[in-house]
Amino acid sequence: WSIYFHSLLIFDIIISYPINHYESIDLMMTLGIPALVAIEVLMWIIENTYKEQYEIREQLNNLAKYDQLTKAYNRNKLIDVCKDSSSELKFSGAYALLMDIDHFKNVNDTYGHDVGDLILMDLVKIVKSSLRDTDYLIRWGGEEFLVILVKYDEVAVLNTAQKIRKAVENNDKSKCKFTISIGAARYKGGDYHDLVKSADIALYKAKNTGRNKVVLFRDDMVK
């Protein structure tokens, strides 16, 4: 805006000179044009400085919130999902899906860790394609991923989980075939760690009853 108004002022002086016959027109131009150039240079420096600071801030934000391999969120994202300074989720009645790649160690041992990394990235792409914009995909650790589903009922949760599981099972674009097991649980309030624990219990049951399946947590699973 500063550049715009200074340019407009100089243009106005030039246009109005034949009528007003300014006595100091030469001085006006001598001071005005260099001042405009100086402002433009200053604005360019400021803009580039702020741009560089913005890019650095975005890079730091990405490092803080995103897993660098898969580009899914990392655990730090839960700060945004929780209420201020607490471990309580913002969303009542949300669901969690905790998923784990079946026999992932065998994938790494057979094909190498580079292929294992590609499998992780492929899984994230498949999962993201099945989620809504309001959902959260978080790399929980290793080959485990946590999904926070917002505004779903139980049927929709199970349908989404099965959709992801089948998409992974039928995927033929990866370096090798792989499957996943999924534990699902409903958030009942309080510390989100309890939600993850429930999903983990369901995941454990899925793993121990054949893998490549979805299991919904029930209270009777806790003895």
Side-chain angles (χ1 to χ4, degrees):
W1 283 106
S2 179
I3 294 172
Y4 172 78
F5 283 119
H6 277 80
S7 300
L8 188 62
L9 177 60
I10 292 176
F11 180 74
D12 180 66
I13 291 173
I14 294 173
I15 293 298
S16 62
Y17 174 70
I19 299 174
N20 296 322
H21 299 291
Y22 301 114
E23 295 182 0
S24 305
I25 184 66
D26 292 339
L27 182 60
M28 289 179 176
M29 293 297 101
T30 301
L31 296 177
I33 294 177
L36 178 61
V37 172
I39 291 172
E40 290 180 352
V41 171
L42 180 61
M43 291 299 174
W44 180 84
I45 293 172
I46 293 174
E47 179 182 347
N48 280 272
T49 300
Y50 276 105
K51 180 182 178 183
E52 183 178 349
Q53 292 177 351
Y54 173 80
E55 290 174 345
I56 292 174
R57 188 165 59 249
E58 285 298 297
Q59 289 173 3
L60 292 174
N61 182 61
N62 287 338
L63 289 172
K65 296 290 178 68
Y66 290 90
D67 174 61
Q68 295 306 295
L69 173 64
T70 64
K71 307 308 177 186
Y73 291 122
N74 60 32
R75 292 192 184 197
N76 292 331
K77 184 61 180 177
L78 286 165
I79 296 173
D80 297 334
V81 183
C82 291
K83 295 181 180 178
D84 294 340
S85 302
S86 75
S87 296
E88 185 178 353
L89 296 183
K90 295 177 180 178
F91 320 106
S92 60
Y95 280 81
L97 301 179
L98 189 62
M99 56 189 67
D100 183 85
I101 298 176
D102 298 326
H103 302 296
F104 187 66
K105 183 178 184 300
N106 292 344
V107 173
N108 282 329
D109 291 344
T110 303
Y111 299 97
H113 289 277
D114 289 344
V115 171
D117 288 346
L118 292 175
I119 293 299
L120 293 172
M121 290 187 282
D122 289 342
L123 174 60
V124 167
K125 291 177 184 178
I126 293 171
V127 175
K128 282 184 174 180
S129 68
S130 300
L131 299 180
R132 302 171 182 171
D133 292 339
T134 53
D135 301 328
Y136 299 86
L137 172 59
I138 299 167
R139 188 176 182 186
W140 195 245
E143 68 274 19
E144 278 192 340
F145 290 85
L146 175 69
V147 177
I148 304 296
L149 301 176
V150 182
K151 295 182 179 179
Y152 285 70
D153 58 25
E154 184 175 301
V155 173
V157 167
L158 294 177
N159 286 341
T160 300
Q162 289 289 3
K163 179 181 178 181
I164 293 171
R165 184 194 64 78
K166 290 177 182 177
V168 172
E169 182 181 27
N170 296 327
N171 172 49
D172 58 1
K173 296 180 180 179
S174 297
K175 293 290 185 179
C176 68
K177 298 286 287 184
F178 67 99
T179 61
I180 60 172
S181 298
I182 302 176
R186 184 177 185 273
Y187 180 57
K188 299 178 181 180
D191 194 322
Y192 74 82
H193 290 94
D194 294 332
L195 170 66
V196 177
K197 182 179 179 181
S198 297
D200 190 46
I201 292 172
L203 173 61
Y204 181 81
K205 187 168 183 65
K207 287 283 191 180
N208 284 275
T209 55
R211 292 184 169 84
N212 189 24
K213 62 170 59 176
V214 176
V215 172
L216 178 65
F217 174 79
R218 302 293 183 190
D219 291 337
D220 59 9
M221 291 180 182
V222 181
K223 296 182 180 180

